[in-house]
Amino acid sequence: MEGTDFFTNGVAGTLKTLKYTEPRTLQFDRRAVVNGRQMVRITTEEFAGYWIPANQVTTDGH
C-alpha cells in the first residue's frame, strides 16, 4: 500500500510504502480526487495524515 502526504499548497510530499501481511482496519476522514485519482486520507496508525488511492482499500461506503 502506498500513501502520500501533501503540503497545504497541494504539492506532494513524502511517499510511504507499507506491506501488511493481513487485512488492517484503518480510518479515514476525507475523500478527494488528487491528480485524477480517487483518494482517502487516513487518520490512524502508520498512514495517519497520508492520502492513499481508494482502489487500494475496501470502505464501508461512507
CSV table of all heavy atoms in Angstrom, one decimal:
chain,number,residue,atom,x,y,z
A,1,MET,N,0.8,-1.2,0.0
A,1,MET,CA,0.0,0.0,0.0
A,1,MET,C,0.9,1.2,0.0
A,1,MET,O,1.9,1.3,0.7
A,1,MET,CB,-0.9,0.0,1.3
A,1,MET,CG,-1.8,1.1,1.4
A,1,MET,SD,-2.9,1.1,2.8
A,1,MET,CE,-3.7,-0.5,2.7
A,2,GLU,N,0.6,2.2,-0.8
A,2,GLU,CA,1.4,3.4,-0.9
A,2,GLU,C,0.5,4.6,-0.5
A,2,GLU,O,-0.7,4.7,-0.8
A,2,GLU,CB,1.8,3.7,-2.3
A,2,GLU,CG,2.9,2.8,-2.8
A,2,GLU,CD,3.5,3.2,-4.2
A,2,GLU,OE1,2.9,4.1,-4.8
A,2,GLU,OE2,4.5,2.7,-4.5
A,3,GLY,N,1.1,5.5,0.3
A,3,GLY,CA,0.4,6.7,0.7
A,3,GLY,C,1.3,7.9,0.5
A,3,GLY,O,2.6,7.8,0.5
A,4,THR,N,0.7,9.1,0.2
A,4,THR,CA,1.5,10.3,0.0
A,4,THR,C,0.9,11.4,0.9
A,4,THR,O,-0.3,11.5,1.0
A,4,THR,CB,1.3,10.8,-1.4
A,4,THR,OG1,1.7,9.7,-2.3
A,4,THR,CG2,2.2,12.0,-1.7
A,5,ASP,N,1.8,12.1,1.6
A,5,ASP,CA,1.3,13.3,2.3
A,5,ASP,C,1.4,14.5,1.4
A,5,ASP,O,2.2,14.5,0.4
A,5,ASP,CB,2.0,13.5,3.6
A,5,ASP,CG,3.4,13.8,3.6
A,5,ASP,OD1,4.0,13.7,2.5
A,5,ASP,OD2,4.0,14.2,4.6
A,6,PHE,N,0.6,15.5,1.6
A,6,PHE,CA,0.6,16.7,0.8
A,6,PHE,C,0.8,18.0,1.6
A,6,PHE,O,0.3,18.0,2.8
A,6,PHE,CB,-0.7,16.8,0.0
A,6,PHE,CG,-0.8,15.8,-1.1
A,6,PHE,CD1,-1.4,14.6,-0.8
A,6,PHE,CD2,-0.4,16.1,-2.4
A,6,PHE,CE1,-1.5,13.6,-1.8
A,6,PHE,CE2,-0.5,15.1,-3.4
A,6,PHE,CZ,-1.0,13.9,-3.1
A,7,PHE,N,1.5,19.0,1.1
A,7,PHE,CA,1.7,20.2,1.8
A,7,PHE,C,0.4,21.0,1.6
A,7,PHE,O,-0.5,20.7,0.8
A,7,PHE,CB,2.9,21.0,1.2
A,7,PHE,CG,4.2,20.3,1.4
A,7,PHE,CD1,4.8,19.7,0.4
A,7,PHE,CD2,4.8,20.3,2.7
A,7,PHE,CE1,6.0,19.1,0.5
A,7,PHE,CE2,6.0,19.7,2.9
A,7,PHE,CZ,6.6,19.1,1.8
A,8,THR,N,0.2,22.1,2.4
A,8,THR,CA,-1.1,22.8,2.3
A,8,THR,C,-1.3,23.5,0.9
A,8,THR,O,-2.4,23.8,0.6
A,8,THR,CB,-1.1,23.9,3.4
A,8,THR,OG1,0.1,24.8,3.3
A,8,THR,CG2,-1.1,23.3,4.8
A,9,ASN,N,-0.2,23.7,0.2
A,9,ASN,CA,-0.3,24.2,-1.2
A,9,ASN,C,-0.6,23.2,-2.2
A,9,ASN,O,-0.7,23.5,-3.4
A,9,ASN,CB,0.9,25.0,-1.5
A,9,ASN,CG,2.2,24.1,-1.6
A,9,ASN,OD1,2.1,22.9,-1.4
A,9,ASN,ND2,3.3,24.8,-1.9
A,10,GLY,N,-0.8,21.9,-1.8
A,10,GLY,CA,-1.2,20.8,-2.7
A,10,GLY,C,0.0,20.1,-3.3
A,10,GLY,O,-0.2,19.2,-4.1
A,11,VAL,N,1.2,20.5,-3.0
A,11,VAL,CA,2.4,19.8,-3.6
A,11,VAL,C,2.6,18.5,-2.8
A,11,VAL,O,2.5,18.5,-1.6
A,11,VAL,CB,3.6,20.7,-3.5
A,11,VAL,CG1,4.9,20.0,-3.9
A,11,VAL,CG2,3.4,22.0,-4.3
A,12,ALA,N,2.9,17.4,-3.5
A,12,ALA,CA,3.1,16.1,-2.9
A,12,ALA,C,4.4,16.2,-2.1
A,12,ALA,O,5.4,16.8,-2.5
A,12,ALA,CB,3.2,15.1,-4.0
A,13,GLY,N,4.3,15.5,-1.0
A,13,GLY,CA,5.5,15.4,-0.1
A,13,GLY,C,6.1,14.0,-0.1
A,13,GLY,O,6.5,13.5,-1.1
A,14,THR,N,6.0,13.4,1.1
A,14,THR,CA,6.6,12.1,1.3
A,14,THR,C,5.8,11.0,0.8
A,14,THR,O,4.6,11.0,1.0
A,14,THR,CB,6.9,11.9,2.8
A,14,THR,OG1,7.6,13.0,3.3
A,14,THR,CG2,7.6,10.6,3.1
A,15,LEU,N,6.4,10.0,0.1
A,15,LEU,CA,5.8,8.8,-0.3
A,15,LEU,C,6.1,7.7,0.7
A,15,LEU,O,7.3,7.5,1.1
A,15,LEU,CB,6.2,8.4,-1.7
A,15,LEU,CG,5.7,7.0,-2.2
A,15,LEU,CD1,4.2,7.1,-2.4
A,15,LEU,CD2,6.4,6.6,-3.5
A,16,LYS,N,5.1,7.0,1.2
A,16,LYS,CA,5.3,5.9,2.2
A,16,LYS,C,4.7,4.6,1.6
A,16,LYS,O,3.6,4.6,1.2
A,16,LYS,CB,4.7,6.3,3.5
A,16,LYS,CG,4.9,5.2,4.6
A,16,LYS,CD,4.1,5.6,5.9
A,16,LYS,CE,4.9,6.6,6.7
A,16,LYS,NZ,4.4,6.8,8.0
A,17,THR,N,5.5,3.6,1.7
A,17,THR,CA,5.0,2.3,1.2
A,17,THR,C,5.1,1.3,2.4
A,17,THR,O,6.1,1.2,3.1
A,17,THR,CB,5.9,1.7,0.1
A,17,THR,OG1,5.9,2.7,-1.0
A,17,THR,CG2,5.4,0.4,-0.4
A,18,LEU,N,4.0,0.6,2.6
A,18,LEU,CA,3.9,-0.5,3.7
A,18,LEU,C,3.3,-1.7,3.1
A,18,LEU,O,2.4,-1.6,2.3
A,18,LEU,CB,3.1,0.0,4.9
A,18,LEU,CG,3.7,1.1,5.7
A,18,LEU,CD1,2.7,1.6,6.8
A,18,LEU,CD2,5.0,0.7,6.4
A,19,LYS,N,3.7,-2.9,3.6
A,19,LYS,CA,3.1,-4.1,3.2
A,19,LYS,C,2.6,-4.8,4.4
A,19,LYS,O,3.3,-5.0,5.4
A,19,LYS,CB,4.0,-5.0,2.4
A,19,LYS,CG,4.4,-4.5,1.1
A,19,LYS,CD,5.3,-5.5,0.3
A,19,LYS,CE,5.7,-4.9,-1.0
A,19,LYS,NZ,6.5,-5.7,-1.8
A,20,TYR,N,1.3,-5.0,4.5
A,20,TYR,CA,0.6,-5.7,5.6
A,20,TYR,C,0.5,-7.2,5.3
A,20,TYR,O,0.1,-7.5,4.1
A,20,TYR,CB,-0.7,-5.1,5.9
A,20,TYR,CG,-0.7,-3.7,6.4
A,20,TYR,CD1,-1.3,-2.7,5.7
A,20,TYR,CD2,-0.1,-3.4,7.6
A,20,TYR,CE1,-1.3,-1.3,6.2
A,20,TYR,CE2,0.0,-2.1,8.1
A,20,TYR,CZ,-0.6,-1.1,7.3
A,20,TYR,OH,-0.6,0.2,7.8
A,21,THR,N,0.7,-8.0,6.2
A,21,THR,CA,0.6,-9.5,6.0
A,21,THR,C,-0.8,-9.9,6.1
A,21,THR,O,-1.2,-11.0,5.6
A,21,THR,CB,1.5,-10.3,7.0
A,21,THR,OG1,1.1,-9.9,8.3
A,21,THR,CG2,3.0,-10.0,6.7
A,22,GLU,N,-1.7,-9.2,6.8
A,22,GLU,CA,-3.1,-9.5,6.9
A,22,GLU,C,-3.9,-8.2,6.8
A,22,GLU,O,-3.4,-7.1,6.9
A,22,GLU,CB,-3.4,-10.2,8.2
A,22,GLU,CG,-2.5,-10.0,9.3
A,22,GLU,CD,-2.8,-10.9,10.5
A,22,GLU,OE1,-3.6,-10.4,11.3
A,22,GLU,OE2,-2.3,-12.0,10.6
A,23,PRO,N,-5.2,-8.3,6.5
A,23,PRO,CA,-6.0,-7.1,6.4
A,23,PRO,C,-6.0,-6.3,7.6
A,23,PRO,O,-5.9,-6.8,8.7
A,23,PRO,CB,-7.4,-7.7,6.2
A,23,PRO,CG,-7.2,-9.0,5.6
A,23,PRO,CD,-6.0,-9.5,6.2
A,24,ARG,N,-6.0,-4.9,7.4
A,24,ARG,CA,-6.0,-4.0,8.6
A,24,ARG,C,-7.2,-3.1,8.5
A,24,ARG,O,-7.8,-2.8,7.4
A,24,ARG,CB,-4.8,-3.1,8.4
A,24,ARG,CG,-3.5,-3.8,8.4
A,24,ARG,CD,-3.0,-4.3,9.7
A,24,ARG,NE,-2.6,-3.1,10.5
A,24,ARG,CZ,-1.7,-3.2,11.4
A,24,ARG,NH1,-1.2,-4.3,11.7
A,24,ARG,NH2,-1.4,-2.1,12.1
A,25,THR,N,-7.7,-2.6,9.6
A,25,THR,CA,-8.7,-1.6,9.7
A,25,THR,C,-8.1,-0.3,9.9
A,25,THR,O,-7.5,0.0,11.0
A,25,THR,CB,-9.7,-2.0,10.8
A,25,THR,OG1,-10.3,-3.2,10.5
A,25,THR,CG2,-10.8,-0.9,10.9
A,26,LEU,N,-8.3,0.6,9.0
A,26,LEU,CA,-7.8,2.0,9.1
A,26,LEU,C,-8.9,2.9,8.9
A,26,LEU,O,-9.9,2.6,8.2
A,26,LEU,CB,-6.7,2.3,8.0
A,26,LEU,CG,-5.5,1.4,8.0
A,26,LEU,CD1,-4.7,1.7,6.7
A,26,LEU,CD2,-4.7,1.5,9.2
A,27,GLN,N,-8.9,4.0,9.6
A,27,GLN,CA,-10.0,5.0,9.5
A,27,GLN,C,-9.5,6.1,8.6
A,27,GLN,O,-8.4,6.5,8.5
A,27,GLN,CB,-10.4,5.5,10.9
A,27,GLN,CG,-11.0,4.4,11.8
A,27,GLN,CD,-11.3,5.0,13.1
A,27,GLN,OE1,-11.1,6.1,13.5
A,27,GLN,NE2,-11.9,4.1,13.9
A,28,PHE,N,-10.5,6.8,7.9
A,28,PHE,CA,-10.2,7.9,7.1
A,28,PHE,C,-11.3,9.0,7.4
A,28,PHE,O,-12.4,8.7,7.9
A,28,PHE,CB,-10.2,7.6,5.6
A,28,PHE,CG,-11.5,7.1,5.0
A,28,PHE,CD1,-12.3,8.0,4.4
A,28,PHE,CD2,-11.9,5.8,5.1
A,28,PHE,CE1,-13.5,7.6,3.8
A,28,PHE,CE2,-13.1,5.4,4.5
A,28,PHE,CZ,-13.9,6.3,3.9
A,29,ASP,N,-10.9,10.3,7.1
A,29,ASP,CA,-11.8,11.4,7.4
A,29,ASP,C,-12.2,12.2,6.1
A,29,ASP,O,-13.1,13.0,6.2
A,29,ASP,CB,-11.2,12.3,8.4
A,29,ASP,CG,-10.0,13.0,8.0
A,29,ASP,OD1,-9.4,12.6,7.0
A,29,ASP,OD2,-9.6,14.0,8.7
A,30,ARG,N,-11.5,12.0,5.0
A,30,ARG,CA,-11.8,12.7,3.8
A,30,ARG,C,-11.6,11.9,2.6
A,30,ARG,O,-10.8,11.0,2.6
A,30,ARG,CB,-10.9,14.0,3.7
A,30,ARG,CG,-11.1,14.9,4.8
A,30,ARG,CD,-10.4,16.2,4.7
A,30,ARG,NE,-10.6,17.0,5.8
A,30,ARG,CZ,-10.5,18.3,5.8
A,30,ARG,NH1,-10.1,18.9,4.8
A,30,ARG,NH2,-10.7,18.9,7.0
A,31,ARG,N,-12.3,12.3,1.6
A,31,ARG,CA,-12.1,11.7,0.2
A,31,ARG,C,-11.8,12.9,-0.7
A,31,ARG,O,-12.3,14.0,-0.5
A,31,ARG,CB,-13.4,11.1,-0.3
A,31,ARG,CG,-13.8,9.9,0.4
A,31,ARG,CD,-15.2,9.4,-0.1
A,31,ARG,NE,-15.7,8.2,0.6
A,31,ARG,CZ,-15.6,7.0,0.1
A,31,ARG,NH1,-15.0,6.8,-1.1
A,31,ARG,NH2,-16.1,6.0,0.8
A,32,ALA,N,-11.1,12.7,-1.8
A,32,ALA,CA,-10.8,13.7,-2.7
A,32,ALA,C,-10.3,13.1,-4.0
A,32,ALA,O,-9.9,11.9,-4.0
A,32,ALA,CB,-9.7,14.6,-2.2
A,33,VAL,N,-10.3,13.8,-5.1
A,33,VAL,CA,-9.7,13.4,-6.3
A,33,VAL,C,-8.4,14.2,-6.4
A,33,VAL,O,-8.4,15.4,-6.4
A,33,VAL,CB,-10.6,13.8,-7.5
A,33,VAL,CG1,-9.9,13.4,-8.8
A,33,VAL,CG2,-11.9,13.0,-7.4
A,34,VAL,N,-7.3,13.5,-6.4
A,34,VAL,CA,-5.9,14.1,-6.4
A,34,VAL,C,-5.3,13.6,-7.7
A,34,VAL,O,-5.1,12.4,-7.9
A,34,VAL,CB,-5.1,13.6,-5.2
A,34,VAL,CG1,-3.7,14.3,-5.3
A,34,VAL,CG2,-5.8,14.0,-3.9
A,35,ASN,N,-4.9,14.5,-8.6
A,35,ASN,CA,-4.3,14.2,-9.9
A,35,ASN,C,-5.1,13.2,-10.6
A,35,ASN,O,-4.5,12.2,-11.2
A,35,ASN,CB,-2.8,13.8,-9.7
A,35,ASN,CG,-2.0,14.9,-9.1
A,35,ASN,OD1,-2.2,16.0,-9.4
A,35,ASN,ND2,-1.0,14.5,-8.3
A,36,GLY,N,-6.4,13.3,-10.6
A,36,GLY,CA,-7.3,12.4,-11.3
A,36,GLY,C,-7.6,11.0,-10.7
A,36,GLY,O,-8.2,10.2,-11.2
A,37,ARG,N,-7.1,10.8,-9.4
A,37,ARG,CA,-7.3,9.6,-8.7
A,37,ARG,C,-8.1,9.8,-7.5
A,37,ARG,O,-7.9,10.8,-6.8
A,37,ARG,CB,-5.9,9.0,-8.3
A,37,ARG,CG,-5.0,8.6,-9.4
A,37,ARG,CD,-3.7,8.1,-8.9
A,37,ARG,NE,-3.8,6.8,-8.4
A,37,ARG,CZ,-2.8,6.1,-7.8
A,37,ARG,NH1,-1.7,6.6,-7.6
A,37,ARG,NH2,-3.0,4.9,-7.4
A,38,GLN,N,-9.1,8.9,-7.3
A,38,GLN,CA,-9.9,8.9,-6.0
A,38,GLN,C,-9.0,8.5,-4.9
A,38,GLN,O,-8.3,7.5,-4.9
A,38,GLN,CB,-11.0,7.9,-6.1
A,38,GLN,CG,-12.1,8.2,-7.2
A,38,GLN,CD,-13.0,9.4,-6.7
A,38,GLN,OE1,-13.2,9.6,-5.5
A,38,GLN,NE2,-13.5,10.1,-7.6
A,39,MET,N,-8.9,9.3,-3.8
A,39,MET,CA,-8.1,9.1,-2.7
A,39,MET,C,-8.9,9.3,-1.4
A,39,MET,O,-9.9,9.9,-1.4
A,39,MET,CB,-6.9,10.1,-2.7
A,39,MET,CG,-6.1,10.3,-4.0
A,39,MET,SD,-5.0,9.0,-4.2
A,39,MET,CE,-3.6,9.6,-3.3
A,40,VAL,N,-8.3,8.6,-0.3
A,40,VAL,CA,-8.9,8.8,1.0
A,40,VAL,C,-7.7,9.2,1.9
A,40,VAL,O,-6.6,8.8,1.7
A,40,VAL,CB,-9.6,7.6,1.6
A,40,VAL,CG1,-10.8,7.3,0.8
A,40,VAL,CG2,-8.7,6.4,1.6
A,41,ARG,N,-8.0,10.1,2.9
A,41,ARG,CA,-6.9,10.5,3.9
A,41,ARG,C,-7.1,9.7,5.1
A,41,ARG,O,-8.1,9.7,5.8
A,41,ARG,CB,-7.0,12.0,4.2
A,41,ARG,CG,-5.8,12.4,5.1
A,41,ARG,CD,-5.8,13.9,5.3
A,41,ARG,NE,-6.9,14.2,6.2
A,41,ARG,CZ,-7.2,15.5,6.6
A,41,ARG,NH1,-6.4,16.5,6.2
A,41,ARG,NH2,-8.2,15.7,7.4
A,42,ILE,N,-6.1,8.9,5.5
A,42,ILE,CA,-6.1,8.0,6.6
A,42,ILE,C,-5.8,8.8,7.9
A,42,ILE,O,-5.0,9.8,7.9
A,42,ILE,CB,-5.0,6.9,6.4
A,42,ILE,CG1,-5.2,6.1,5.1
A,42,ILE,CG2,-4.9,6.0,7.6
A,42,ILE,CD1,-6.6,5.4,5.1
A,43,THR,N,-6.5,8.4,9.0
A,43,THR,CA,-6.3,9.1,10.3
A,43,THR,C,-5.7,8.3,11.4
A,43,THR,O,-5.6,8.7,12.5
A,43,THR,CB,-7.6,9.7,10.8
A,43,THR,OG1,-8.6,8.6,10.9
A,43,THR,CG2,-8.2,10.7,9.8
A,44,THR,N,-5.4,7.0,11.1
A,44,THR,CA,-4.9,6.1,12.1
A,44,THR,C,-3.6,5.4,11.7
A,44,THR,O,-3.3,5.3,10.5
A,44,THR,CB,-5.9,5.0,12.4
A,44,THR,OG1,-6.3,4.3,11.2
A,44,THR,CG2,-7.2,5.6,13.1
A,45,GLU,N,-2.9,4.9,12.7
A,45,GLU,CA,-1.7,4.0,12.5
A,45,GLU,C,-0.6,4.7,11.7
A,45,GLU,O,-0.5,5.9,11.6
A,45,GLU,CB,-2.1,2.7,12.0
A,45,GLU,CG,-3.0,1.9,12.9
A,45,GLU,CD,-3.2,0.5,12.6
A,45,GLU,OE1,-2.2,-0.1,12.0
A,45,GLU,OE2,-4.2,-0.1,12.8
A,46,GLU,N,0.2,3.9,11.0
A,46,GLU,CA,1.4,4.4,10.3
A,46,GLU,C,1.0,5.4,9.1
A,46,GLU,O,1.9,6.2,8.7
A,46,GLU,CB,2.2,3.3,9.7
A,46,GLU,CG,2.7,2.3,10.7
A,46,GLU,CD,1.8,1.1,10.9
A,46,GLU,OE1,0.7,1.1,10.5
A,46,GLU,OE2,2.3,0.1,11.5
A,47,PHE,N,-0.2,5.3,8.6
A,47,PHE,CA,-0.5,6.2,7.5
A,47,PHE,C,-1.3,7.4,7.9
A,47,PHE,O,-1.9,8.1,7.1
A,47,PHE,CB,-1.4,5.4,6.5
A,47,PHE,CG,-0.6,4.6,5.5
A,47,PHE,CD1,-0.7,3.2,5.5
A,47,PHE,CD2,0.2,5.2,4.6
A,47,PHE,CE1,0.1,2.5,4.5
A,47,PHE,CE2,1.0,4.5,3.7
A,47,PHE,CZ,0.9,3.1,3.6
A,48,ALA,N,-1.4,7.7,9.2
A,48,ALA,CA,-2.1,8.9,9.6
A,48,ALA,C,-1.6,10.1,8.9
A,48,ALA,O,-0.4,10.4,8.9
A,48,ALA,CB,-2.0,9.1,11.2
A,49,GLY,N,-2.5,10.9,8.3
A,49,GLY,CA,-2.1,12.1,7.5
A,49,GLY,C,-1.8,11.8,6.1
A,49,GLY,O,-1.6,12.8,5.3
A,50,TYR,N,-1.7,10.6,5.7
A,50,TYR,CA,-1.3,10.3,4.3
A,50,TYR,C,-2.6,10.0,3.5
A,50,TYR,O,-3.6,9.5,4.0
A,50,TYR,CB,-0.4,9.0,4.3
A,50,TYR,CG,1.0,9.3,4.6
A,50,TYR,CD1,1.4,9.6,5.9
A,50,TYR,CD2,2.0,9.4,3.6
A,50,TYR,CE1,2.7,9.8,6.2
A,50,TYR,CE2,3.3,9.7,3.9
A,50,TYR,CZ,3.6,9.9,5.2
A,50,TYR,OH,4.9,10.2,5.5
A,51,TRP,N,-2.5,10.3,2.2
A,51,TRP,CA,-3.6,10.0,1.3
A,51,TRP,C,-3.2,8.7,0.5
A,51,TRP,O,-2.1,8.6,0.1
A,51,TRP,CB,-3.7,11.1,0.3
A,51,TRP,CG,-4.3,12.4,0.9
A,51,TRP,CD1,-3.6,13.4,1.5
A,51,TRP,CD2,-5.7,12.8,0.9
A,51,TRP,NE1,-4.4,14.4,1.9
A,51,TRP,CE2,-5.7,14.0,1.5
A,51,TRP,CE3,-6.8,12.2,0.4
A,51,TRP,CZ2,-6.9,14.7,1.7
A,51,TRP,CZ3,-8.0,12.9,0.6
A,51,TRP,CH2,-8.1,14.1,1.2
A,52,ILE,N,-4.2,7.8,0.4
A,52,ILE,CA,-3.9,6.6,-0.3
A,52,ILE,C,-5.0,6.4,-1.4
A,52,ILE,O,-6.1,6.9,-1.2
A,52,ILE,CB,-3.9,5.3,0.6
A,52,ILE,CG1,-5.2,5.1,1.3
A,52,ILE,CG2,-2.7,5.4,1.6
A,52,ILE,CD1,-5.2,3.8,2.1
A,53,PRO,N,-4.7,5.8,-2.5
A,53,PRO,CA,-5.6,5.6,-3.5
A,53,PRO,C,-6.8,4.7,-3.0
A,53,PRO,O,-6.6,3.7,-2.3
A,53,PRO,CB,-4.9,4.8,-4.6
A,53,PRO,CG,-3.5,5.2,-4.4
A,53,PRO,CD,-3.3,5.3,-2.9
A,54,ALA,N,-8.0,5.2,-3.3
A,54,ALA,CA,-9.2,4.5,-2.8
A,54,ALA,C,-9.3,3.1,-3.3
A,54,ALA,O,-9.9,2.2,-2.7
A,54,ALA,CB,-10.5,5.3,-3.1
A,55,ASN,N,-8.7,2.8,-4.5
A,55,ASN,CA,-8.8,1.4,-5.0
A,55,ASN,C,-7.9,0.5,-4.3
A,55,ASN,O,-7.9,-0.7,-4.5
A,55,ASN,CB,-8.4,1.4,-6.5
A,55,ASN,CG,-7.0,1.7,-6.8
A,55,ASN,OD1,-6.3,2.3,-6.0
A,55,ASN,ND2,-6.6,1.5,-8.0
A,56,GLN,N,-7.1,0.9,-3.3
A,56,GLN,CA,-6.2,0.0,-2.5
A,56,GLN,C,-6.9,-0.4,-1.2
A,56,GLN,O,-6.4,-1.2,-0.5
A,56,GLN,CB,-4.9,0.7,-2.1
A,56,GLN,CG,-4.0,1.0,-3.3
A,56,GLN,CD,-2.7,1.6,-2.8
A,56,GLN,OE1,-2.3,1.5,-1.6
A,56,GLN,NE2,-1.9,2.1,-3.7
A,57,VAL,N,-8.2,0.1,-1.0
A,57,VAL,CA,-8.9,-0.2,0.2
A,57,VAL,C,-10.3,-0.6,0.0
A,57,VAL,O,-10.9,-0.3,-1.1
A,57,VAL,CB,-8.9,1.0,1.2
A,57,VAL,CG1,-7.4,1.4,1.6
A,57,VAL,CG2,-9.5,2.2,0.6
A,58,THR,N,-10.9,-1.2,0.9
A,58,THR,CA,-12.3,-1.5,0.9
A,58,THR,C,-13.0,-0.6,2.0
A,58,THR,O,-12.5,-0.7,3.1
A,58,THR,CB,-12.6,-3.0,1.2
A,58,THR,OG1,-11.9,-3.8,0.3
A,58,THR,CG2,-14.1,-3.3,1.2
A,59,THR,N,-14.0,0.1,1.6
A,59,THR,CA,-14.6,1.0,2.6
A,59,THR,C,-16.0,0.6,2.9
A,59,THR,O,-16.6,-0.3,2.2
A,59,THR,CB,-14.7,2.5,2.1
A,59,THR,OG1,-15.6,2.5,1.0
A,59,THR,CG2,-13.3,3.0,1.6
A,60,ASP,N,-16.6,1.2,3.9
A,60,ASP,CA,-17.9,0.9,4.3
A,60,ASP,C,-18.9,1.7,3.6
A,60,ASP,O,-20.1,1.7,3.9
A,60,ASP,CB,-18.1,1.1,5.8
A,60,ASP,CG,-17.9,2.5,6.3
A,60,ASP,OD1,-17.7,3.4,5.4
A,60,ASP,OD2,-18.1,2.7,7.5
A,61,GLY,N,-18.5,2.4,2.6
A,61,GLY,CA,-19.4,3.2,1.7
A,61,GLY,C,-19.7,4.6,2.2
A,61,GLY,O,-20.4,5.3,1.5
A,62,HIS,N,-19.1,5.1,3.2
A,62,HIS,CA,-19.3,6.4,3.7
A,62,HIS,C,-18.2,7.3,3.3
A,62,HIS,O,-17.1,7.0,3.1
A,62,HIS,CB,-19.4,6.4,5.2
A,62,HIS,CG,-20.6,5.6,5.7
A,62,HIS,ND1,-21.8,6.1,5.6
A,62,HIS,CD2,-20.6,4.4,6.3
A,62,HIS,CE1,-22.7,5.2,6.1
A,62,HIS,NE2,-21.9,4.1,6.5
